[in-house]
């Protein structure tokens, strides 16, 4: 099987316990513990609405304790802490970091979404997962 080496989000290397803040007003779309070695571990997907556009942001490698407090349909205000970066091994057994990804269409999925893809599928995934730096950079302007 070919290697999936196209990363669809961005990894922000942070200490375990670092608060994760919502970049925009949101509703919790889904929460799931993707508890497999090398997976996201605790994962939160937020749904956002700007003008007429709905899109989603995915947060992986989170704290199990904080993430268990979230439920689909809960609202999260821009700038509000809604979870924390998780420690290994509960975060998928990775060094502590946050996987942040923007998703245009969830394709009917909940609680999980591919974070890596095959390089030859770049065009397909670029349409589904816009550059997350567009949101990250706007938070510091």
């Amino acid at each position: 099987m070919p290697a999936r080496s196209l990363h669809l989000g961005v990894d922000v290397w942070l200490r375990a316990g670092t608060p994760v803040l919502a970049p925009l007003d949101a509703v919790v779309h889904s929460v799931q513990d993707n508890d497999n070695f090398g997976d996201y571990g605790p994962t939160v997907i937020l749904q956002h609405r700007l003008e007429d556009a709905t899109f989603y942001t995915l947060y992986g490698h989170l704290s199990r304790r904080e993430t268990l407090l979230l439920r689909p349909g809960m609202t999260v205000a821009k700038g509000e802490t809604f979870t924390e970066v998780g420690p290994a091994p509960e975060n998928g057994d990775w060094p502590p970091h946050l996987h942040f990804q923007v998703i245009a269409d969830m394709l009917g999925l909940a609680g999980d979404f591919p974070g890596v893809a095959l390089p030859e599928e770049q065009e397909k995934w670029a349409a589904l997962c816009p550059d997350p730096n567009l949101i990250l950079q706007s938070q510091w302007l």
Side-chain angles (χ1 to χ4, degrees):
M1 177 172 204
R4 298 177 307 148
S5 60
L6 177 62
H7 197 245
L8 303 176
V10 65
D11 288 334
V12 182
W13 299 92
L14 302 162
R15 292 180 188 207
T18 300
V20 178
L21 287 62
L24 302 161
D25 289 339
V27 172
V28 176
H29 172 271
S30 50
V31 180
Q32 182 170 301
D33 192 348
N34 296 295
D35 189 18
N36 299 303
F37 179 80
D39 207 329
Y40 288 130
T43 307
V44 174
I45 300 174
L46 300 180
Q47 179 178 330
H48 308 277
R49 184 132 180 100
L50 285 177
E51 297 178 9
D52 294 333
T54 297
F55 66 96
Y56 307 85
T57 50
L58 180 147
Y59 307 81
H61 310 299
L62 305 174
S63 161
R64 191 168 282 137
R65 180 192 69 212
E66 296 297 320
T67 304
L68 285 172
L69 301 174
L70 299 172
R71 298 285 178 267
M74 291 176 71
T75 58
V76 182
K78 177 181 179 177
E80 181 181 347
T81 297
F82 64 95
T83 190
E84 296 177 350
V85 173
E90 75 181 60
N91 70 358
D93 212 25
W94 294 92
H97 72 286
L98 174 69
H99 174 91
F100 176 73
Q101 184 172 336
V102 178
I103 304 165
D105 183 345
M106 287 298 298
L107 304 176
L109 299 172
D112 197 5
F113 198 88
V116 291
L118 298 171
E120 56 268 24
E121 296 177 341
Q122 181 172 359
E123 190 173 319
K124 167 190 168 183
W125 289 105
L128 285 170
C129 299
D131 183 355
N133 287 302
L134 298 172
I135 290 178
L136 290 176
Q137 290 172 353
S138 72
Q139 299 308 299
W140 291 294
L141 297 178

